[in-house]
Amino acid sequence: MTQKAGKSLKEKVALRNRLLKEALAELLGTFILIALGCSCVAQTVLSRGVLGGALTISVGFAMAVTLAIYVAGGVSGGHINPAVSFAMCLTGKMKWVKFPIYVLAQFLGAFLGAAVVFGINYDALIFYTDGNFTVGGANPTAHIFATYPQEYLSLTNGFADQMLSTAFLILGVFAIFDTDNLGVPKGLEPIAVGLLIILLTCSMGLNSGCAMNPARDLSPRLFTYLLGWGPEVFTAGNSWWWVPIAGPMVGAALGAATYMLFIGVHHFPPSPCQKTDALHEHELTHLEEGK
Amino acid sequence: MTQKAGKSLKEKVALRNRLLKEALAELLGTFILIALGCSCVAQTVLSRGVLGGALTISVGFAMAVTLAIYVAGGVSGGHINPAVSFAMCLTGKMKWVKFPIYVLAQFLGAFLGAAVVFGINYDALIFYTDGNFTVGGANPTAHIFATYPQEYLSLTNGFADQMLSTAFLILGVFAIFDTDNLGVPKGLEPIAVGLLIILLTCSMGLNSGCAMNPARDLSPRLFTYLLGWGPEVFTAGNSWWWVPIAGPMVGAALGAATYMLFIGVHHFPPSPCQKTDALHEHELTHLEEGK
Amino acid sequence: MTQKAGKSLKEKVALRNRLLKEALAELLGTFILIALGCSCVAQTVLSRGVLGGALTISVGFAMAVTLAIYVAGGVSGGHINPAVSFAMCLTGKMKWVKFPIYVLAQFLGAFLGAAVVFGINYDALIFYTDGNFTVGGANPTAHIFATYPQEYLSLTNGFADQMLSTAFLILGVFAIFDTDNLGVPKGLEPIAVGLLIILLTCSMGLNSGCAMNPARDLSPRLFTYLLGWGPEVFTAGNSWWWVPIAGPMVGAALGAATYMLFIGVHHFPPSPCQKTDALHEHELTHLEEGK
Amino acid sequence: MTQKAGKSLKEKVALRNRLLKEALAELLGTFILIALGCSCVAQTVLSRGVLGGALTISVGFAMAVTLAIYVAGGVSGGHINPAVSFAMCLTGKMKWVKFPIYVLAQFLGAFLGAAVVFGINYDALIFYTDGNFTVGGANPTAHIFATYPQEYLSLTNGFADQMLSTAFLILGVFAIFDTDNLGVPKGLEPIAVGLLIILLTCSMGLNSGCAMNPARDLSPRLFTYLLGWGPEVFTAGNSWWWVPIAGPMVGAALGAATYMLFIGVHHFPPSPCQKTDALHEHELTHLEEGK
């Protein structure tokens, strides 16, 4: 904003260009997330567990997030998740005007990613299902793309699951990018977020597969609806489909609020030193107090 | 410390506020540790090993520790373990007056974390146990929350196990945060501690599940006592419950002493040169050239 | 470039020496990749899954890439893959004149690496196969060295698989080394590339084992052809052998183009401020204070 | 060495003190390596694979190496392996006079580490073996402590295995600590070495368990000889015991020589810039050449 006041048109064009760039980055990032993340599920399901399992899905999906953030992060911040964008807007870290553009790009990217999962695994899908794409039955494949709840799961418990797992996700993301806290070294945040995803999928994956991301879940679900899995993808699990959309958005607000209340508002006014040396200064203080 | 001598009341208020902030951070950190760490055990147990195993519990619990330190570390140091706080006080890194506050926050956070594990997995627990919560039998679930010893384990061997595994934990934590030793880069200590937890759970998890943390064990045990598992959670394993409390406290002293004797007291007085490595010097040069 | 104009002969000699050094580094790097990466497959196959599985192969091969880049990276850039060298030339990051030298060194290194896999595992191979080296049958071993497609896989789907997986590889490598993007800290790029390989082998390994590298696939295949597995290594899978050569080269172009279009061309001109982050500024302050 | 010439006695005392400190650090480091590394094997064996497997042993042993280097590294370099100390002396990175002290400390530390493995797992060992400690048979436990070859393995192949795996280990260690190469950031070398150990145990663990370290193998073997496993620990595997001692020492020389020939001697005389920016300068050059 070093531009002069009279150049408002130029500013508008620059802003539109910038927003376009960010939308492209979000689109590519979410595309990578789904194309590679859901392919980890495909590899496990279609090899009947020979070439994958709970851990390769957990680690693979996490590294898909890491890669997506490395690719998109320098341009758009690498949200690749409407719930993350929502939390950023809620806490004033992103302008609300950008929110619909980001979310649209994320849903579009996720849809294209699902197409890659389908294309790359087309022969395997036909071989595994005999061309009969289903949500349930002997050779179900819909859960390669979207998440479905365990049979025992009530919608109440399911909503709490999606809300709380996303709250922990946002809590972790805020801590990782909070330079007034311990602070992950610059350029390593995507790996720290990946480790966070490993944690969440190992701990919160039981009930419904830990979507925590409306774009990650709805776009591939829509893709399967259109490509032959039929309306059951929306009716299954007592019409489960809306839970991984609504739950994460509420969870995003909860997670952001929790971090702000417990940690964020308590930061001391940052001095040049404190800003970058929070831990060690803290320990130094402890040492001094101990004398 | 830059405040003038006359402002003692203001100082007291500031100290109380600061201690409150630290307590909140410890509470949130230990809450995260249990809510996500014990959920890794829940995911493995309640899926009967389909969605998890020894490795997802090891890696998941470790990353729960990492996340908890990233969240709480910048405010309270991220002890999330009375044994760690004890070691810090013993070696003069924390004032003893803070110790009961830290420990209380840790026990409270762990209790609330256990409530989340219970709530998130409520439908799964009912489905798995038919509503019959037990320590042993066909579908035991108490070990999701607290640790129980193997049948062969004597209390003596068990105490040695908890004492030594915690001693290695403290030894590792001291090495990781010792800037006069090799030194984990600032901001990556929580990940190094996570790797340490992976190591300890892969090597010392056989006998009794590697609690190494009184708050991690007693609070969830108390929660199960109150929520329907009954008094067997305290009587099981020849009244095992006190071992993961006493063992870690003794181990903390042993680990701190070992590090001090073998490594800590031998550090050479650091020269200014030693503190600056080639990499940052290089970047310094760039900055100067940029002027 | 500081050399004077008259010293053209000296320059030529220096250039030739430099190219020789780079060729030696690429040779050693690709040698390491195959000697250790393919041995991960050998360990899993020859122990009949007792000492390895999908995850040890994924993580092991990834860490072989990481090690190879750490060994060769400072001299040659650590491409260890003709598709990577191709992408570098396409985007002007390497002179085309170097391309054949790099590729030759990579193929030679991979061939020597295959010899080590054979030698180290000689007794185990004889024990496992009774001396009967085959592509298929009861105790196949050719897939320890080169990749073979699943029976269901068409050449079209297979080509798409190799093309797209390599495109994602190049996309990731470009993001990881793009200092105008988020930026992996200097010296950690090899580990980030390793994580990328874990992701790709967990997500794209189903159809044909995720070669993504002509040297990694053809040289060990040629080795098995010469050492007793016979012509079936080339005829198997509907003459599959050329797909992991052609697919990756097309994919390299696709991946480089995608990154450039979506991310690369949109970078803002970097200001001096952007290049310096808070952390290093802080350390600068320390140094100045130390004067 | 800022001390004046006349203070030779003081210098000698200082040197002796320093060597004592280094010996203590090596002892503690190797103690940690065995106490925790071999306990990973114990956890897998004694739980009959329920609480561990190939991957927990690989990752656990690797992280034991990482921890040991973090603990000892700042004082002694953290060799924790006579083969590493040998390579350091061969290449002039350590004085030969220190070699016997280091090796003695390593063997002593490994012996004490084996005692901890025995003590911590005493009840489990008795329960698993009924008090009958054996190398082979129904419930073998000697391989918790030392390595034994597969039945098919000849001594020739076994020697090549130990020689080559250690050569790769040294090659990797030299690359990781070579600041004229890509360069692992300061303070992260122990983690990079850990990743290298994961690679080597996943790729070279088939034949005989990948000892690569005379102290890691001989001291625990001696411990089992004394504690009830009897002379079979030395006679088993066609008197295998000397191979993990001699092989690694030859391999250390081979690995050091290979790194020097292929990479080390080719480094350009380092300028202040090149030293810390090898990769990016290299790519810059590529870019310039490409114009």
Side-chain angles (χ1 to χ4, degrees), chain C residues 132-171:
Chain C
N132 187 22
F133 301 156
T134 56
V135 175
N139 295 308
T141 45
H143 61 305
I144 290 172
F145 296 88
T147 65
Y148 294 87
Q150 300 270 10
E151 282 193 26
Y152 61 73
L153 195 71
S154 65
L155 281 183
T156 312
N157 198 152
F159 191 92
D161 173 284
Q162 280 304 293
M163 184 182 72
L164 280 176
S165 56
T166 310
F168 282 113
L169 173 68
I170 298 298
L171 198 63

Side-chain angles (χ1 to χ4, degrees), chain B residues 55 186 188 272 276 279-284 287-288 291, chain C residues 55 186 188 276 279-284 287-288 290-291:
Chain B
L55 203 55
K186 216 177 336 167
L188 288 178
T276 316
L279 178 73
H280 297 108
E281 240 169 18
H282 161 68
E283 286 173 352
L284 177 66
L287 278 165
E288 286 173 351
K291 279 177 189 170
Chain C
L55 202 57
K186 216 177 334 169
L188 288 178
T276 317
L279 178 73
H280 297 109
E281 240 168 16
H282 161 69
E283 285 172 353
L284 177 66
L287 279 164
E288 285 173 353
K291 278 177 191 171

Side-chain angles (χ1 to χ4, degrees), chain A residues 83-106:
Chain A
V84 172
S85 298
F86 187 56
M88 293 298 170
C89 289
L90 277 176
T91 52
K93 287 171 179 147
M94 188 168 90
K95 279 186 171 167
W96 280 104
V97 69
K98 287 184 174 182
F99 182 68
I101 315 286
Y102 266 57
V103 170
L104 193 72
Q106 288 157 359

Side-chain angles (χ1 to χ4, degrees), chain C residues 13-14 29 36 44 59 81 83 85 97 107 114 131 136 151-152 211-212 220 236 261 291:
Chain C
V13 173
L36 296 178
T44 298
V59 172
N81 182 347
S85 297
V97 70
F107 275 102
E151 282 193 26
Y152 61 73
M212 310 184 295
L261 282 174
K291 278 177 191 171

Side-chain angles (χ1 to χ4, degrees), chain D residues 166-183:
Chain D
T166 310
F168 282 114
L169 173 67
I170 297 298
L171 198 63
V173 168
F174 274 44
I176 286 167
F177 285 91
D178 183 354
T179 51
D180 290 331
N181 205 323
L182 265 194

Side-chain angles (χ1 to χ4, degrees), chain A residues 35-277:
Chain A
L36 297 178
C38 287
S39 283
C40 294
V41 189
Q43 179 161 328
T44 297
V45 170
L46 301 176
S47 73
R48 299 188 190 278
V50 172
L51 296 176
L55 202 55
T56 64
I57 294 175
S58 171
V59 172
F61 231 117
M63 292 303 108
V65 171
T66 295
L67 175 60
I69 303 178
Y70 271 128
V71 168
V75 178
S76 70
H79 299 173
I80 60 165
N81 183 347
V84 172
S85 298
F86 187 56
M88 293 298 170
C89 289
L90 277 176
T91 52
K93 287 171 179 147
M94 188 168 90
K95 279 186 171 167
W96 280 104
V97 69
K98 287 184 174 182
F99 182 68
I101 315 286
Y102 266 57
V103 170
L104 193 72
Q106 288 157 359
F107 274 101
L108 189 55
F111 191 88
L112 297 174
V116 163
V117 176
F118 184 77
I120 283 272
N121 293 292
Y122 183 75
D123 287 358
L125 274 166
I126 296 293
F127 178 78
Y128 183 85
T129 63
D130 258 328
N132 188 21
F133 300 155
T134 55
V135 175
N139 296 308
T141 45
H143 62 305
I144 290 173
F145 296 88
T147 65
Y148 294 87
Q150 300 269 11
E151 282 193 26
Y152 61 73
L153 195 71
S154 65
L155 281 183
T156 313
N157 197 152
F159 191 92
D161 172 285
Q162 280 303 293
M163 184 182 71
L164 280 177
S165 55
T166 310
F168 282 114
L169 172 67
I170 298 298
L171 198 64
V173 167
F174 274 44
I176 287 167
F177 283 92
D178 183 355
T179 51
D180 289 331
N181 204 323
L182 264 194
V184 177
K186 216 175 154 233
L188 287 178
E189 304 94 341
I191 291 177
V193 175
L195 297 177
L196 175 60
I197 301 293
I198 291 178
L199 165 57
L200 290 167
T201 47
C202 284
S203 61
M204 298 270 172
L206 176 67
N207 287 323
S208 68
C210 212
M212 310 184 295
N213 180 343
R216 177 257 173 275
D217 205 68
L218 184 60
S219 286
R221 193 183 302 275
L222 189 64
F223 182 87
T224 51
Y225 173 74
L226 297 171
L227 264 285
W229 278 263
E232 207 189 338
V233 301
F234 285 104
T235 58
N238 200 13
S239 296
W240 167 259
W241 70 272
W242 65 271
V243 180
I245 298 169
M249 299 311 272
V250 180
L254 179 63
T258 306
Y259 190 78
M260 287 302 156
L261 282 174
F262 277 75
I263 306 290
V265 297
H266 302 307
H267 286 314
F268 315 127
S271 73
C273 253
Q274 270 177 316
K275 215 168 189 171
T276 49
D277 207 348

